[in-house]
Amino acid sequence: MEPADSILVAGDPNGIVTITINRPKSLNSLTRAMLVRLAREFSALGRDESTKVIILTGSGRAFCSGIDLTAAEDVFKGDVKDVETDLVAQMERCRKPIIGAVNGFAVTGGFEIALACDILVASKGAMFMDTHARFGIFPSWGLSQKLSRLAGANRAREASLTAMPITAEQAEKWGLVTHVVEEGEALRKARQIAEAILKNNQDLVLRYKAVINDGLKLDLGSALSLEKERAHSYYDGMTKEQFKKMQEFIAARGSKKGSSKL
């Protein structure tokens, strides 16, 4: 049995929920029980109306060092088609924005979990590493496909075939990370981003995340058509009163800030 405090979940009154992988002595490596717990947390938070933004981080020197290899057979030979207990699948299905605060090592499965976040912040000492090839583990959480799309095929091949580490600064240059901050500041920066998200129309935040993420799975032409379809559906569903409120809100914002400029 895994200790109950190996996964910590803390919410605040504004709707920001922080999930902490809390197994620092093992560099936050994940057992089967921890994976199932995390998958269920993301599933539940995605449905919870009071949850607006989720932050995922790790305690100690690591974000997550991947699967605990002492439990590898239990994890890899488990029911890989069981979406309900598949952590990355549940993160990808989650409607709420997920911000990763990477404070140390994000290795192999931990790297894949990082790439399942919508926004990534890293401290200067953070390190991303794909050791699948080193240990003879076949990737199954998307690293072989996502990294090449985010960073470019040549960079992805080098990172994955050599198993060489990627520094936080490299990750920022490659477009994997949006901010690199001082040691100990990743969680605070993630909270700042979460608070900025909270200031916006939460229905539109959910719709916007969905159309970006769904569009990424399509070619550009199909993705643009998807955006058009969802825009028409959104506006068709709005009442006159909702249009009036939108116009009043825009007018009020404009009067506070002077004339708006595009």
Side-chain angles (χ1 to χ4, degrees):
M1 282 288 290
E2 199 60 45
D5 65 355
S6 59
I7 304 295
L8 303 175
V9 182
D12 73 10
N14 298 320
I16 300 171
V17 175
T18 302
I19 300 176
T20 305
I21 304 169
N22 185 42
R23 202 173 173 232
K25 289 180 181 175
S26 301
L27 295 178
N28 298 326
S29 61
L30 300 169
T31 62
R32 174 76 182 161
M34 290 169 71
L35 286 169
V36 171
R37 167 87 191 279
L38 282 166
R40 287 180 175 153
E41 290 291 351
F42 276 102
S43 177
L45 292 170
R47 296 190 305 269
D48 176 36
E49 290 303 314
S50 66
T51 299
K52 307 300 181 189
V53 184
I54 303 165
I55 297 172
L56 178 64
T57 193
S59 61
R61 296 188 300 122
F63 172 74
C64 174
S65 60
I67 302 303
D68 182 339
L69 293 181
T70 63
E73 187 173 1
D74 185 32
V75 173
F76 298 135
K77 288 196 173 180
D79 187 357
V80 292
K81 292 182 180 176
D82 180 8
V83 176
E84 296 306 310
T85 59
D86 183 325
L87 169 56
V88 169
Q90 288 304 322
M91 289 177 73
E92 290 171 345
R93 285 182 165 200
C94 185
R95 296 167 62 237
K96 311 301 167 67
I98 303 169
I99 305 170
V102 180
N103 47 301
F105 301 105
V107 180
T108 312
F111 194 174
E112 291 177 299
I113 290 165
L115 293 184
C117 296
D118 298 302
I119 299 167
L120 274 183
V121 175
S123 63
K124 283 186 175 176
M127 195 78 73
F128 300 86
M129 197 169 177
D130 179 8
T131 62
H132 282 103
R134 181 171 294 173
F135 294 110
I137 301 166
F138 203 94
S140 60
W141 276 348
L143 195 48
S144 69
Q145 303 306 310
K146 288 181 182 176
L147 187 58
S148 58
R149 285 162 171 78
L150 286 165
N154 287 0
R155 285 169 170 165
R157 281 190 285 261
E158 182 176 343
S160 297
L161 302 184
T162 65
M164 292 293 285
I166 303 162
T167 64
E169 287 78 8
Q170 274 179 293
E172 186 180 32
K173 285 177 186 170
W174 290 9
L176 308 180
V177 164
T178 55
H179 300 275
V180 175
V181 295
E182 295 298 326
E183 291 300 321
E185 293 293 304
L187 190 55
R188 190 170 74 87
K189 184 64 182 177
R191 284 198 64 85
Q192 284 179 355
I193 296 167
E195 285 160 6
I197 291 170
L198 289 182
K199 291 176 182 173
N200 295 322
N201 179 309
Q202 291 306 296
D203 176 54
L204 211 290
V205 164
L206 298 183
R207 291 172 185 267
Y208 217 142
K209 165 179 163 159
V211 77
I212 291 171
N213 289 4
D214 292 345
L216 283 169
K217 298 166 191 166
L218 307 171
D219 64 82
L220 181 59
S222 301
L224 290 170
S225 296
L226 177 73
E227 183 193 66
K228 275 274 192 291
E229 287 164 20
R230 292 195 186 176
H232 287 309
S233 172
Y234 178 69
Y235 290 122
D236 285 347
M238 283 178 71
T239 63
K240 285 187 185 297
E241 186 61 29
Q242 286 172 320
F243 269 111
K244 189 179 174 186
K245 281 185 179 175
M246 183 173 71
Q247 289 163 335
E248 286 170 354
F249 177 77
I250 293 167
R253 296 278 292 178
S255 63
K256 282 180 189 172
K257 295 187 176 180
S259 61
S260 62
K261 292 181 182 177
L262 294 177

